[in-house]
């Protein structure tokens, strides 16, 4: 259920407890900001010494104000925080912002204090941001309760770092980026990142939600909220390269890192995952452009348009690195371009003016218009010298002699490009050697993202053309918890999966020669013999394949038992491996995101090849098929060099069943089927392992 945060972002009155005239204290910075809009709502300053603060009378306590206060900011030493919270609740506060530090981040005792405070706040029907946060701001309601000013705009910034928020503000200024809201997340004792994403999704003035998070809390709930937001969410996070805490007793555990988990969650939720503040700024600049919401179906086919071959080639590479495609344009489109350009222009893609811009600056606009009108083009990346003619006239050190005529023509071309773009549902991004030139400012002023770096332009365009999810369609709900697994051994896991419809060869567990021979009578050879209760049985020499008859099976058992001395063995019918491909299907339970599936090439070389894909579990069959076909070796599934195609639909259905089982058993830390044999006539699980948490 969505929480009502109206009192947090649009309170009727505000008090700053710990307001100070001392610039070294945070209570001074917050109080200074709070007084920027005194006409919007009453702003009360509280200092235990009373007197005046920042030229305004300060109350000695909240009670001394003499009237209820809806939102209270607390910036006092740690020892006085709980008492200040109690005073705020007593005076009717419905929202509290806790600046004070020294709670969960300080250790177990601080965590216990924090939980107790949060319980009191919730019991009173109020909400708490923090503690250990740096404040909030909402430009749409003139609420300024953070130390920094944020230029108004459409980006809601939710950050665990104040310095990073400041950097994003500084980087965004040249692109005209502004902010609807800023919230410092702090320790998320009560109001969580999930609550804030959901509230910003409902906030009409917010067009993009930007998040810097180190602790997601409930990562799966964050992914679901982001998927359901109905507007872009951009995530910058830290610690992607370190492995999550896990037992790693299976291939699945060894393959999965926290980076894989976060990336999988973002893919499933449609979140734009970025690696640096610069990349976040680039993506935000693209998504904040007026054309951002057009063409919601998305599409990765882009046209590169240049006035020089070098820039075109570099831009095409950058586009493909960003996940875009730069296909050769069709004959009809090339014909239309020939009608706009001169003979030496290249029209295949990249499209190159080849000097025509100096003869006819309006050729820039004509070419952009033709490309935007092409059905086979989803977006346009214009790169190179555009802006240089006007830069020369504007004294920016660019452009050839000839000056004013070319500059005026280029500026007219910029205005015409803006007109062509207004009539198109497709995005245009520009890379220019002269991004601050008058003509580029015309483009930027109309909402066209302009960058000085080719890779930035390509990344922005990739974000602008990415399809947006309609709700949480790729995050399947977790099933209800099932009866806990009683037997985590090999045959117990097989039975659990088989009961869910996962097919296995016939098998029987044995502990001595007599049971071995009885098992051989249950089904025909050839046989497989496995030593149980060993990690990585193949590596230990605990698997014997293609045993043709009872005699061979008995001989293999005697040799293996003498060498390994295992307490139990499994006798199984040998599967037909011809024309088959071995896959791995695993599920690892992440402490933040819950069950995460890994799907890829299986067998003994799984960890070496590392051709795997990740998704939040459970994984519906349709999504499973996408993961399989997206593997580097995905083409093998459709048959190569005379090999037949395998039954991808059958494999996908089994993947769905395996991941459903894992998701329904929270006591299972890792569940793995390796290999899952997929053949032209179906799929068969050949081995299984579970690790309890």
């Amino acid at each position: 259920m969505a929480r009502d945060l109206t009192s947090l972002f649009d309170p009727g009155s505000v008090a700053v407890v710990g307001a100070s005239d001392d610039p070294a204290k945070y209570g001074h910075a917050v109080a200074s900001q709070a007084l920027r809009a005194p006409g919007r709502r009453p702003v009360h300053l509280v200092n235990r010494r009373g007197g005046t603060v920042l030229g305004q009378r300060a109350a000695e306590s909240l009670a001394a104000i003499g009237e209820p206060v809806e939102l209270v900011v607390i910036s006092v030493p740690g020892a006085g925080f709980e008492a200040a919270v109690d005073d705020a609740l007593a005076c009717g506060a419905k929202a509290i912002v806790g600046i004070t530090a020294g709670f969960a981040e300080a250790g177990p005792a601080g965590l216990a204090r924090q939980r107790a405070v949060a319980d009191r706040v919730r019991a009173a029907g109020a909400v708490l941001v923090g503690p250990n946060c740096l404040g909030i701001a909402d430009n749409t309601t003139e609420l300024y309760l953070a130390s920094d000013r944020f230029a108004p705009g459409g980006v809601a910034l939710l950050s665990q770092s104040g310095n990073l928020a400041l950097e994003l503000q500084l980087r965004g200024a040249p692109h005209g980026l502004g902010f609807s809201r800023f919230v410092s997340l702090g320790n998320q004792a009560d109001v969580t990142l999930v609550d804030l994403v959901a509230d910003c999704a409902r906030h009409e003035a917010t067009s993009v939600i930007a998040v810097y998070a180190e602790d997601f809390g409930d990562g799966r709930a964050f992914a679901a909220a982001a998927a359901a937001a109905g507007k872009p969410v951009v995530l910058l996070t830290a610690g992607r390269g370190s492995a999550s805490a896990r037992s790693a007793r299976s291939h699945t555990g060894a393959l999965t890192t926290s980076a894989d988990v976060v990336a999988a969650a973002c893919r499933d939720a449609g979140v734009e995952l970025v690696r640096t503040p610069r990349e976040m700024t680039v993506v935000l600049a693209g998504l904040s452009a007026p054309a951002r919401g057009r063409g919601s179906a998305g599409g990765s086919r882009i046209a590169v348009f240049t006035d020089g071959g070098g820039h075109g080639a570099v831009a095409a590479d950058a586009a493909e690195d960003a996940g875009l495609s730069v296909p050769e344009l069709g004959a009809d489109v090339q014909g239309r371009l020939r009608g706009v350009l001169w003979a030496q222009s290249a029209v295949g893609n990249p499209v190159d003016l080849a000097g025509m811009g100096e003869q006819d600056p309006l050729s820039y606009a004509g070419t952009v218009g033709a490309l935007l009108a092409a059905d086979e083009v989803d977006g346009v990346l214009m790169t190179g010298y555009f802006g240089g003619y006007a830069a020369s006239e504007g004294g920016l050190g660019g452009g050839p002699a000839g000056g004013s005529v070319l500059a005026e023509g280029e500026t007219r071309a910029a205005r015409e490009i803006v007109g062509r773009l207004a009539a198109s549902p497709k995005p245009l991004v520009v890379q220019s050697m002269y991004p601050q030139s008058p003509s580029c400012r015309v483009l930027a002023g109309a909402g066209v993202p302009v960058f000085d770096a080719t890779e930035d332009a390509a990344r922005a365009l990739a974000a602008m053309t990415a399809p947006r999810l309609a709700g949480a369609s790729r995050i399947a709900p977790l099933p209800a918890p099932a009866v806990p697994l009683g037997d985590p051994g090999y045959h117990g896991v097989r039975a659990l999966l088989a009961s869910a419809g996962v097919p296995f060869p016939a098998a029987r567990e044995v502990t001595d020669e007599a049971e071995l021979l009885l098992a051989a009578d249950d089904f025909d050879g050839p046989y497989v013999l496995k030593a149980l209760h060993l990690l990585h049985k193949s590596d230990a020499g605990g698997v014997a394949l293609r045993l043709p008859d009872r005699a061979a099976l008995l001989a293999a058992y005697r040799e293996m038992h003498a060498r390994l001395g295992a307490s139990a063995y499994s006798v199984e019918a040998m599967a037909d491996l011809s024309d088959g491909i071995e896959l791995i299907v695993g599920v690892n339970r992440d402490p933040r995101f819950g069950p995460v599936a890994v799907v890829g090439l299986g067998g003994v070389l799984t960890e070496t090849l590392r051709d795997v894909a990740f998704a939040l579990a459970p994984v519906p069959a349709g999504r499973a098929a996408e993961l399989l076909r997206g593997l580097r070796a995905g083409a093998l599934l459709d048959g190569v060099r005379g090999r037949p195609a395998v039954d991808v639909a059958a494999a996908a259905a089994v993947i769905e069943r395996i991941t459903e089982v894992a998701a329904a058993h929270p006591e299972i830390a890792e569940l793995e089927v390796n290999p899952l044999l997929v053949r032209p006539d179906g799929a068969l699980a050949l081995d299984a392992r579970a690790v309890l948490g």
Side-chain angles (χ1 to χ4, degrees), residues 376-403:
E376 62 201 71
V377 172
D378 300 312
V380 177
L381 195 167
M382 186 168 81
T383 178
Y385 191 79
F386 188 86
Y389 306 115
S392 174
E393 186 70 10
L396 298 180

Side-chain angles (χ1 to χ4, degrees), residues 267-283:
R267 281 192 298 270
D268 289 350
V271 171
E272 287 283 347
L273 179 62
V274 298
R275 296 163 294 179
T276 64
R278 170 179 162 173
E279 187 183 358
M280 174 172 265
T281 303
V282 166
V283 170

Side-chain angles (χ1 to χ4, degrees), residues 35 87 103 154 207 238 410 420 428 433 512 530 554 560 562 577 585 640 685:
L35 293 174
D87 290 346
F103 290 89
S207 58
E410 184 181 71
R420 298 291 185 100
L428 166 70
M433 298 160 63
D512 55 33
K530 299 177 181 177
L554 182 59
M560 192 179 293
L577 303 181
V585 183
V640 294

Side-chain angles (χ1 to χ4, degrees), residues 205 287 392 522 538:
L287 295 176
S392 174
D522 286 348
S538 296

Side-chain angles (χ1 to χ4, degrees), residues 45 50 66 114 118 131 139 159 191 224 230 337 348 374 385 483 506 512 564 567 575 666 671:
L45 304 185
Q114 177 176 298
N139 280 321
S159 177
V191 175
L337 289 169
Y385 191 79
V483 176
D512 55 33
L564 299 177
S567 59
L671 177 65

